[in-house]
Amino acid sequence: MSEVDCALAAENLMLAARAAGLGSCWIGFAQGWLGTTDGKAMLGLSVSSQPVAPIIIGQVRSWPPPVTRNDPDIRWLEASTA
Ligand SMILES: Cc1cc2nc3c(=O)[nH]c(=O)nc-3n(C[C@H](O)[C@H](O)[C@H](O)COP(=O)(O)O)c2cc1C
């Protein structure tokens, strides 16, 4: 589950950035190169490392307006009392 753990950590990083007044964006486009020998060397990573969540953080010119979201589809399970 290490990739999922990384994604959760990435979300926390992005939420913390927002709380600090900074913008962030997950740049999946960069993952291919960062996973190469040159990319890992630039980041000082071992050859066996695998980058998961390339995220840029910076000052925003303006915050985008909220976008419309679909309602979440949540299924609640209840423990049986029988
Ligand atoms: C796995 C992943 C990879 C992404 N890669 C890119 C990217 O390469 N370039 C980019 O501009 N945004 C990238 N994003 C950001 C998305 O385009 C989008 O802005 C973000 O998921 C927020 O979605 P929203 O517009 O519904 O709020 C990526 C997001 C995720 C989750």
Side-chain angles (χ1 to χ4, degrees):
M1 305 290 272
S2 57
E3 280 189 309
V4 177
D5 289 340
C6 288
L8 290 170
E11 180 181 39
N12 286 336
L13 177 76
M14 297 172 87
L15 291 172
R18 181 65 181 89
L22 298 169
S24 64
C25 186
W26 184 318
I27 307 296
F29 184 68
Q31 190 161 350
W33 184 79
L34 289 174
T36 65
T37 303
D38 287 346
K40 291 177 188 179
M42 189 192 80
L43 294 174
L45 297 175
S46 66
V47 176
S48 62
S49 295
Q50 184 57 49
V52 172
I55 293 173
I56 55 172
I57 294 177
Q59 304 283 348
V60 299
R61 288 202 178 105
S62 64
W63 292 102
V67 297
T68 304
R69 303 285 182 189
N70 295 335
D71 290 334
D73 182 1
I74 300 173
R75 313 295 165 93
W76 297 100
L77 301 178
E78 291 183 35
S80 171
T81 56

Coordinates of all heavy atoms in Angstrom, one line a residue:
M1 N 0.8 -1.2 0.0 CA 0.0 0.0 0.0 C 0.9 1.3 0.0 O 0.4 2.3 0.3 CB -0.9 0.0 1.2 CG -1.8 -1.2 1.3 SD -3.1 -1.3 0.1 CE -4.4 -0.3 0.9
S2 N 2.2 1.1 -0.3 CA 3.0 2.3 -0.2 C 2.7 3.4 -1.1 O 2.8 4.6 -0.7 CB 4.5 1.9 -0.4 OG 4.6 1.3 -1.7
E3 N 2.2 3.1 -2.3 CA 1.8 4.2 -3.2 C 0.6 5.0 -2.6 O 0.5 6.2 -2.7 CB 1.4 3.7 -4.6 CG 2.7 3.4 -5.4 CD 2.4 3.1 -6.8 OE1 1.5 2.2 -7.1 OE2 2.9 3.7 -7.7
V4 N -0.4 4.3 -2.0 CA -1.5 4.9 -1.4 C -1.1 5.7 -0.2 O -1.6 6.9 0.0 CB -2.6 3.9 -1.0 CG1 -3.8 4.5 -0.3 CG2 -3.1 3.1 -2.2
D5 N -0.2 5.2 0.6 CA 0.4 6.0 1.7 C 1.0 7.3 1.2 O 0.8 8.4 1.8 CB 1.4 5.2 2.4 CG 0.8 4.0 3.2 OD1 -0.4 4.1 3.5 OD2 1.6 3.1 3.5
C6 N 1.7 7.2 0.1 CA 2.3 8.4 -0.5 C 1.3 9.4 -0.9 O 1.4 10.6 -0.7 CB 3.3 8.1 -1.6 SG 4.8 7.2 -1.2
A7 N 0.2 8.9 -1.5 CA -0.9 9.8 -2.0 C -1.5 10.5 -0.8 O -1.9 11.7 -0.9 CB -1.9 9.0 -2.8
L8 N -1.7 9.7 0.3 CA -2.3 10.4 1.5 C -1.4 11.4 2.0 O -1.8 12.5 2.4 CB -2.6 9.3 2.5 CG -3.7 8.3 2.2 CD1 -3.7 7.2 3.2 CD2 -5.1 9.0 2.2
A9 N -0.1 11.1 2.1 CA 0.9 12.1 2.6 C 0.9 13.3 1.7 O 1.0 14.5 2.1 CB 2.3 11.5 2.7
A10 N 0.8 13.1 0.3 CA 0.7 14.2 -0.6 C -0.5 15.1 -0.4 O -0.4 16.3 -0.4 CB 0.7 13.6 -2.0
E11 N -1.6 14.5 -0.1 CA -2.8 15.3 0.2 C -2.6 16.1 1.4 O -2.9 17.3 1.4 CB -4.0 14.4 0.3 CG -5.3 15.3 0.6 CD -6.5 14.4 0.8 OE1 -6.4 13.4 1.5 OE2 -7.6 14.9 0.3
N12 N -2.0 15.5 2.4 CA -1.8 16.3 3.7 C -0.8 17.5 3.4 O -1.0 18.6 3.9 CB -1.2 15.4 4.8 CG -2.2 14.5 5.4 OD1 -3.4 14.8 5.3 ND2 -1.8 13.4 5.9
L13 N 0.2 17.2 2.5 CA 1.1 18.3 2.2 C 0.4 19.4 1.5 O 0.6 20.6 1.8 CB 2.2 17.7 1.3 CG 3.2 18.8 0.7 CD1 4.2 19.1 1.8 CD2 3.9 18.2 -0.5
M14 N -0.5 19.1 0.6 CA -1.2 20.1 -0.2 C -2.2 20.9 0.7 O -2.4 22.1 0.6 CB -2.0 19.4 -1.4 CG -1.0 18.8 -2.4 SD -1.8 17.8 -3.7 CE -2.1 19.1 -4.9
L15 N -2.8 20.2 1.6 CA -3.7 20.8 2.6 C -2.9 21.8 3.5 O -3.4 22.9 3.8 CB -4.5 19.8 3.4 CG -5.6 19.0 2.6 CD1 -6.1 17.9 3.5 CD2 -6.7 19.9 2.1
A16 N -1.8 21.3 3.9 CA -0.9 22.2 4.8 C -0.4 23.4 4.0 O -0.4 24.5 4.6 CB 0.3 21.4 5.3
A17 N -0.1 23.2 2.7 CA 0.3 24.4 1.9 C -0.9 25.4 1.8 O -0.6 26.6 2.0 CB 0.7 23.9 0.5
R18 N -2.1 24.9 1.6 CA -3.2 25.8 1.5 C -3.4 26.5 2.8 O -3.7 27.7 2.8 CB -4.5 25.0 1.2 CG -5.7 25.8 1.0 CD -5.6 26.8 -0.2 NE -6.8 27.6 -0.3 CZ -6.9 28.8 0.3 NH1 -6.0 29.2 1.1 NH2 -8.0 29.5 0.1
A19 N -3.3 25.8 3.9 CA -3.4 26.4 5.2 C -2.4 27.5 5.5 O -2.6 28.4 6.2 CB -3.4 25.4 6.3
A20 N -1.2 27.4 4.8 CA -0.1 28.3 4.9 C -0.2 29.4 3.9 O 0.7 30.3 3.8 CB 1.2 27.6 4.8
G21 N -1.3 29.4 3.1 CA -1.6 30.5 2.1 C -0.8 30.2 0.8 O -0.7 31.2 0.0
L22 N -0.4 29.0 0.6 CA 0.3 28.7 -0.7 C -0.5 27.8 -1.6 O -1.4 27.0 -1.1 CB 1.6 27.9 -0.3 CG 2.6 28.7 0.5 CD1 3.7 27.8 1.0 CD2 3.2 29.9 -0.3
G23 N -0.3 27.9 -2.9 CA -0.9 27.0 -3.8 C -0.1 25.8 -4.1 O 1.1 25.8 -3.8
S24 N -0.7 24.7 -4.6 CA 0.0 23.5 -5.0 C -0.6 22.8 -6.1 O -1.8 23.0 -6.4 CB 0.1 22.6 -3.8 OG -1.2 22.1 -3.4
C25 N 0.1 22.0 -6.8 CA -0.5 21.2 -7.9 C 0.4 19.9 -8.0 O 1.6 19.9 -8.0 CB -0.5 21.9 -9.2 SG -1.3 21.0 -10.5
W26 N -0.3 18.8 -8.1 CA 0.3 17.5 -8.3 C 0.6 17.4 -9.8 O -0.3 17.5 -10.7 CB -0.7 16.4 -8.0 CG -0.2 15.0 -8.0 CD1 0.5 14.4 -9.0 CD2 -0.5 13.9 -7.1 NE1 0.8 13.1 -8.7 CE2 0.1 12.8 -7.6 CE3 -1.2 13.9 -5.9 CZ2 0.1 11.5 -6.9 CZ3 -1.3 12.7 -5.3 CH2 -0.7 11.5 -5.8
I27 N 1.9 17.3 -10.2 CA 2.3 17.2 -11.6 C 2.7 15.8 -11.9 O 3.9 15.4 -12.0 CB 3.5 18.2 -11.8 CG1 3.2 19.6 -11.3 CG2 3.9 18.3 -13.3 CD1 2.0 20.3 -12.0
G28 N 1.7 15.0 -12.3 CA 1.9 13.6 -12.7 C 2.8 13.6 -13.9 O 3.5 12.6 -14.1
F29 N 2.7 14.6 -14.7 CA 3.5 14.7 -16.0 C 5.0 14.5 -15.7 O 5.7 14.0 -16.5 CB 3.2 16.0 -16.7 CG 3.8 16.1 -18.0 CD1 3.4 15.4 -19.1 CD2 4.8 17.1 -18.2 CE1 4.0 15.5 -20.3 CE2 5.5 17.2 -19.4 CZ 5.1 16.4 -20.5
A30 N 5.4 15.0 -14.5 CA 6.8 14.9 -14.2 C 7.3 13.6 -13.7 O 8.5 13.3 -13.6 CB 7.2 16.0 -13.1
Q31 N 6.3 12.7 -13.4 CA 6.7 11.4 -12.7 C 7.6 10.5 -13.6 O 8.5 9.9 -13.1 CB 5.4 10.7 -12.3 CG 5.7 9.5 -11.4 CD 4.5 9.1 -10.6 OE1 3.5 9.7 -10.6 NE2 4.6 7.9 -10.0
G32 N 7.3 10.5 -14.9 CA 8.0 9.7 -15.8 C 9.5 10.0 -15.7 O 10.4 9.1 -15.5
W33 N 9.8 11.3 -15.9 CA 11.3 11.7 -15.9 C 11.9 11.5 -14.5 O 13.0 11.1 -14.4 CB 11.4 13.1 -16.3 CG 12.9 13.5 -16.4 CD1 13.7 13.2 -17.5 CD2 13.7 14.2 -15.5 NE1 15.0 13.6 -17.2 CE2 15.0 14.2 -16.0 CE3 13.4 14.8 -14.2 CZ2 16.0 14.9 -15.3 CZ3 14.4 15.4 -13.5 CH2 15.7 15.4 -14.1
L34 N 11.1 11.9 -13.4 CA 11.7 11.8 -12.1 C 12.0 10.3 -11.7 O 12.9 10.1 -10.9 CB 10.8 12.4 -11.0 CG 10.6 13.9 -11.1 CD1 9.6 14.4 -10.1 CD2 12.0 14.6 -10.8
G35 N 11.4 9.4 -12.4 CA 11.6 8.0 -12.2 C 12.8 7.4 -12.9 O 13.2 6.3 -12.8
T36 N 13.4 8.3 -13.8 CA 14.6 7.8 -14.5 C 15.8 8.0 -13.7 O 15.8 8.6 -12.6 CB 14.8 8.7 -15.8 OG1 15.1 10.0 -15.4 CG2 13.6 8.6 -16.7
T37 N 16.9 7.4 -14.2 CA 18.2 7.5 -13.4 C 18.6 8.9 -13.2 O 19.0 9.3 -12.1 CB 19.3 6.7 -14.2 OG1 18.9 5.4 -14.4 CG2 20.6 6.7 -13.4
D38 N 18.5 9.7 -14.3 CA 18.8 11.2 -14.2 C 17.9 11.9 -13.2 O 18.4 12.7 -12.4 CB 18.7 11.9 -15.5 CG 19.8 11.5 -16.5 OD1 20.8 10.9 -16.0 OD2 19.7 11.8 -17.7
G39 N 16.6 11.6 -13.2 CA 15.7 12.2 -12.3 C 16.0 11.9 -10.9 O 16.0 12.8 -10.0
K40 N 16.2 10.6 -10.6 CA 16.5 10.2 -9.2 C 17.8 10.8 -8.7 O 17.9 11.3 -7.6 CB 16.6 8.7 -9.2 CG 15.3 8.0 -9.4 CD 15.4 6.5 -9.3 CE 14.1 5.8 -9.7 NZ 14.2 4.3 -9.7
A41 N 18.8 10.9 -9.7 CA 20.1 11.5 -9.3 C 19.9 13.0 -8.9 O 20.5 13.5 -7.9 CB 21.1 11.4 -10.4
M42 N 19.0 13.7 -9.7 CA 18.8 15.1 -9.4 C 18.2 15.3 -8.0 O 18.4 16.3 -7.3 CB 17.8 15.7 -10.4 CG 17.7 17.2 -10.3 SD 16.4 17.9 -11.3 CE 15.0 17.5 -10.3
L43 N 17.3 14.4 -7.6 CA 16.6 14.4 -6.3 C 17.5 13.8 -5.2 O 17.1 13.8 -4.0 CB 15.3 13.7 -6.4 CG 14.2 14.4 -7.3 CD1 13.0 13.5 -7.3 CD2 13.8 15.7 -6.7
G44 N 18.6 13.2 -5.5 CA 19.4 12.5 -4.5 C 18.8 11.3 -4.0 O 19.0 10.9 -2.9
L45 N 18.0 10.6 -4.9 CA 17.3 9.4 -4.5 C 18.1 8.1 -4.8 O 18.9 8.2 -5.8 CB 15.9 9.3 -5.1 CG 14.9 10.3 -4.8 CD1 13.7 10.2 -5.6 CD2 14.6 10.3 -3.3
S46 N 17.9 7.1 -4.1 CA 18.6 5.8 -4.5 C 18.0 5.2 -5.7 O 16.8 5.6 -6.1 CB 18.5 4.8 -3.3 OG 17.1 4.4 -3.2
V47 N 18.7 4.4 -6.4 CA 18.2 3.8 -7.6 C 16.9 3.0 -7.4 O 16.0 2.9 -8.3 CB 19.3 2.8 -8.3 CG1 18.7 2.1 -9.5 CG2 20.5 3.7 -8.6
S48 N 16.7 2.4 -6.2 CA 15.6 1.6 -5.9 C 14.3 2.4 -5.5 O 13.2 1.9 -5.4 CB 15.9 0.6 -4.8 OG 16.2 1.3 -3.6
S49 N 14.5 3.8 -5.3 CA 13.4 4.6 -5.0 C 12.5 4.8 -6.2 O 12.9 4.7 -7.3 CB 13.9 6.0 -4.5 OG 14.6 5.9 -3.3
Q50 N 11.2 5.1 -5.9 CA 10.2 5.3 -6.9 C 9.4 6.6 -6.6 O 8.6 6.5 -5.7 CB 9.3 4.1 -7.1 CG 8.3 4.3 -8.2 CD 9.0 4.5 -9.6 OE1 9.9 3.8 -10.0 NE2 8.5 5.5 -10.3
P51 N 9.6 7.7 -7.3 CA 8.8 8.9 -7.0 C 7.4 8.6 -7.3 O 7.0 7.9 -8.2 CB 9.4 9.9 -8.0 CG 10.7 9.5 -8.3 CD 10.7 8.0 -8.3
V52 N 6.5 9.1 -6.4 CA 5.0 8.9 -6.5 C 4.2 10.1 -6.7 O 3.3 10.2 -7.6 CB 4.5 8.1 -5.3 CG1 3.0 8.0 -5.3 CG2 5.1 6.7 -5.2
A53 N 4.6 11.2 -6.0 CA 3.7 12.4 -6.0 C 4.5 13.7 -6.2 O 4.9 14.3 -5.2 CB 2.9 12.5 -4.7
P54 N 4.9 14.0 -7.5 CA 5.6 15.2 -7.7 C 4.6 16.4 -7.5 O 3.6 16.5 -8.2 CB 6.0 15.2 -9.2 CG 5.7 13.8 -9.6 CD 4.6 13.3 -8.7
I55 N 4.9 17.3 -6.6 CA 4.0 18.4 -6.2 C 4.8 19.7 -6.3 O 5.9 19.8 -5.7 CB 3.4 18.2 -4.8 CG1 2.5 17.0 -4.9 CG2 2.7 19.4 -4.4 CD1 2.0 16.5 -3.5
I56 N 4.2 20.7 -7.0 CA 4.8 22.0 -7.0 C 4.0 22.8 -5.9 O 2.8 22.7 -5.8 CB 4.8 22.7 -8.4 CG1 3.4 22.7 -8.9 CG2 5.7 22.0 -9.3 CD1 3.2 23.5 -10.2
I57 N 4.8 23.7 -5.3 CA 4.2 24.6 -4.3 C 4.7 26.1 -4.6 O 5.8 26.3 -4.9 CB 4.6 24.2 -2.9 CG1 4.0 22.8 -2.5 CG2 4.1 25.2 -1.8 CD1 4.3 22.3 -1.2
G58 N 3.7 27.0 -4.5 CA 4.2 28.4 -4.7 C 3.1 29.4 -4.4 O 2.0 29.0 -3.9
Q59 N 3.5 30.7 -4.6 CA 2.6 31.8 -4.3 C 1.5 31.8 -5.4 O 1.9 31.6 -6.6 CB 3.3 33.1 -4.3 CG 4.4 33.2 -3.3 CD 3.9 33.3 -1.8 OE1 2.8 33.7 -1.6 NE2 4.8 33.2 -0.9
V60 N 0.3 32.1 -5.1 CA -0.7 32.1 -6.1 C -1.0 33.6 -6.5 O -0.9 34.5 -5.6 CB -2.1 31.5 -5.7 CG1 -1.8 30.0 -5.4 CG2 -2.6 32.2 -4.5
R61 N -1.3 33.8 -7.8 CA -1.7 35.2 -8.2 C -3.1 35.5 -7.7 O -3.4 36.5 -7.3 CB -1.6 35.3 -9.7 CG -0.2 35.3 -10.3 CD -0.2 36.0 -11.7 NE 1.2 36.1 -12.1 CZ 1.7 35.3 -13.1 NH1 0.9 34.4 -13.6 NH2 2.9 35.4 -13.5
S62 N -4.0 34.4 -7.9 CA -5.3 34.6 -7.4 C -5.9 33.1 -7.2 O -5.5 32.2 -7.9 CB -6.2 35.3 -8.3 OG -6.3 34.6 -9.5
W63 N -6.7 33.0 -6.2 CA -7.3 31.7 -6.0 C -8.5 31.4 -6.9 O -9.3 32.3 -7.1 CB -7.9 31.6 -4.5 CG -6.8 31.6 -3.5 CD1 -6.4 32.7 -2.7 CD2 -5.9 30.5 -3.2 NE1 -5.3 32.3 -2.0 CE2 -5.0 31.0 -2.2 CE3 -5.7 29.2 -3.6 CZ2 -4.0 30.2 -1.6 CZ3 -4.7 28.4 -3.0 CH2 -3.9 29.0 -2.1
P64 N -8.5 30.3 -7.6 CA -9.6 30.0 -8.5 C -10.9 29.8 -7.7 O -10.9 29.4 -6.6 CB -9.2 28.7 -9.2 CG -8.3 28.0 -8.2 CD -7.6 29.1 -7.5
P65 N -12.0 30.2 -8.4 CA -13.3 30.0 -7.7 C -13.6 28.5 -7.5 O -13.1 27.6 -8.3 CB -14.3 30.6 -8.7 CG -13.7 30.6 -10.0 CD -12.2 30.7 -9.8
P66 N -14.4 28.2 -6.5 CA -14.8 26.7 -6.3 C -15.5 26.2 -7.5 O -16.2 26.9 -8.2 CB -15.7 26.8 -5.1 CG -15.6 28.1 -4.5 CD -15.1 29.0 -5.6
V67 N -15.2 24.9 -7.8 CA -15.9 24.3 -8.9 C -17.0 23.4 -8.4 O -17.0 23.0 -7.3 CB -14.9 23.4 -9.8 CG1 -13.8 24.2 -10.4 CG2 -14.3 22.3 -8.9
T68 N -18.0 23.2 -9.3 CA -19.1 22.3 -9.0 C -18.7 20.9 -8.8 O -17.9 20.4 -9.6 CB -20.2 22.3 -10.1 OG1 -20.6 23.7 -10.3 CG2 -21.4 21.5 -9.7
R69 N -19.1 20.2 -7.8 CA -18.7 18.8 -7.5 C -20.0 17.9 -7.5 O -21.0 18.3 -7.1 CB -18.1 18.7 -6.1 CG -16.9 19.6 -5.9 CD -15.7 19.0 -6.6 NE -14.5 19.9 -6.3 CZ -13.4 19.7 -7.0 NH1 -13.2 18.8 -7.9 NH2 -12.4 20.5 -6.7
N70 N -19.8 16.7 -8.0 CA -20.8 15.7 -7.8 C -21.0 15.4 -6.3 O -20.0 15.4 -5.6 CB -20.5 14.4 -8.6 CG -20.4 14.6 -10.1 OD1 -21.1 15.5 -10.6 ND2 -19.6 13.8 -10.7
D71 N -22.2 15.0 -5.9 CA -22.4 14.6 -4.6 C -21.6 13.3 -4.3 O -21.5 12.4 -5.2 CB -23.9 14.3 -4.3 CG -24.7 15.5 -4.3 OD1 -24.2 16.6 -4.0 OD2 -25.9 15.4 -4.6
P72 N -21.0 13.2 -3.1 CA -20.2 12.0 -2.9 C -21.2 10.8 -2.8 O -22.3 10.9 -2.3 CB -19.6 12.3 -1.5 CG -20.4 13.3 -0.9 CD -21.0 14.1 -2.0
D73 N -20.7 9.6 -3.2 CA -21.5 8.4 -3.2 C -20.9 7.6 -2.0 O -19.9 6.9 -2.1 CB -21.3 7.6 -4.5 CG -22.1 6.3 -4.5 OD1 -22.8 6.0 -3.5 OD2 -22.1 5.6 -5.5
I74 N -21.5 7.7 -0.8 CA -21.0 7.1 0.4 C -21.9 6.0 0.8 O -23.2 6.1 0.9 CB -20.9 8.1 1.5 CG1 -20.0 9.2 1.1 CG2 -20.5 7.4 2.8 CD1 -19.9 10.4 2.1
R75 N -21.4 4.8 1.1 CA -22.2 3.6 1.5 C -21.9 3.4 3.0 O -20.7 3.1 3.3 CB -21.9 2.4 0.7 CG -21.9 2.6 -0.8 CD -23.2 2.9 -1.3 NE -23.2 3.4 -2.7 CZ -23.3 2.7 -3.8 NH1 -23.5 1.4 -3.7 NH2 -23.2 3.2 -5.0
W76 N -22.8 3.5 3.9 CA -22.6 3.3 5.3 C -23.0 1.9 5.7 O -24.0 1.3 5.3 CB -23.5 4.2 6.1 CG -23.2 5.7 5.9 CD1 -23.9 6.6 5.1 CD2 -22.1 6.4 6.5 NE1 -23.3 7.8 5.1 CE2 -22.2 7.8 6.0 CE3 -21.1 6.1 7.3 CZ2 -21.3 8.7 6.3 CZ3 -20.2 7.1 7.7 CH2 -20.3 8.4 7.2
L77 N -22.1 1.2 6.4 CA -22.3 -0.2 6.8 C -22.6 -0.1 8.3 O -22.0 0.6 9.1 CB -21.1 -1.0 6.6 CG -20.7 -1.1 5.1 CD1 -19.4 -2.0 5.0 CD2 -21.8 -1.7 4.3
E78 N -23.6 -0.9 8.7 CA -24.0 -0.9 10.2 C -23.6 -2.3 10.7 O -23.9 -3.3 10.0 CB -25.4 -0.7 10.4 CG -25.8 0.8 10.1 CD -27.3 1.0 10.4 OE1 -27.8 0.4 11.4 OE2 -27.9 1.8 9.7
A79 N -23.1 -2.4 11.9 CA -22.7 -3.7 12.5 C -24.1 -4.4 12.8 O -25.0 -3.7 13.3 CB -21.9 -3.5 13.7
S80 N -24.1 -5.6 12.6 CA -25.3 -6.4 12.9 C -25.4 -6.5 14.4 O -24.5 -6.8 15.1 CB -25.2 -7.8 12.3 OG -26.2 -8.6 12.8
T81 N -26.7 -6.4 14.9 CA -26.9 -6.5 16.4 C -27.4 -7.9 16.7 O -27.6 -8.2 17.9 CB -27.9 -5.4 16.9 OG1 -29.1 -5.6 16.1 CG2 -27.3 -4.1 16.7
A82 N -27.7 -8.7 15.7 CA -28.2 -10.1 15.9 C -27.1 -11.0 16.5 O -26.0 -10.8 16.2 CB -28.8 -10.6 14.7
Ligands
LIG1 C1 -2.3 11.8 -10.1 C2 -2.4 13.3 -10.5 C3 -1.6 13.8 -11.5 C4 -1.8 15.1 -11.9 N1 -1.0 15.6 -12.9 C5 -1.1 16.9 -13.3 C6 -0.2 17.4 -14.3 O1 0.7 16.8 -14.8 N2 -0.4 18.7 -14.7 C7 -1.4 19.5 -14.1 O2 -1.5 20.7 -14.5 N3 -2.2 19.1 -13.2 C8 -2.1 17.8 -12.7 N4 -2.9 17.3 -11.8 C9 -3.9 18.2 -11.1 C10 -5.3 18.0 -11.8 O3 -5.2 18.4 -13.1 C11 -6.3 18.8 -11.0 O4 -6.0 20.2 -11.1 C12 -6.4 18.4 -9.6 O5 -6.6 17.0 -9.5 C13 -7.6 19.2 -8.9 O6 -8.8 18.8 -9.4 P1 -10.0 19.8 -9.5 O7 -9.8 20.7 -10.6 O8 -11.2 18.9 -9.6 O9 -10.0 20.5 -8.2 C14 -2.8 15.9 -11.3 C15 -3.6 15.4 -10.3 C16 -3.4 14.1 -9.9 C17 -4.3 13.6 -8.8

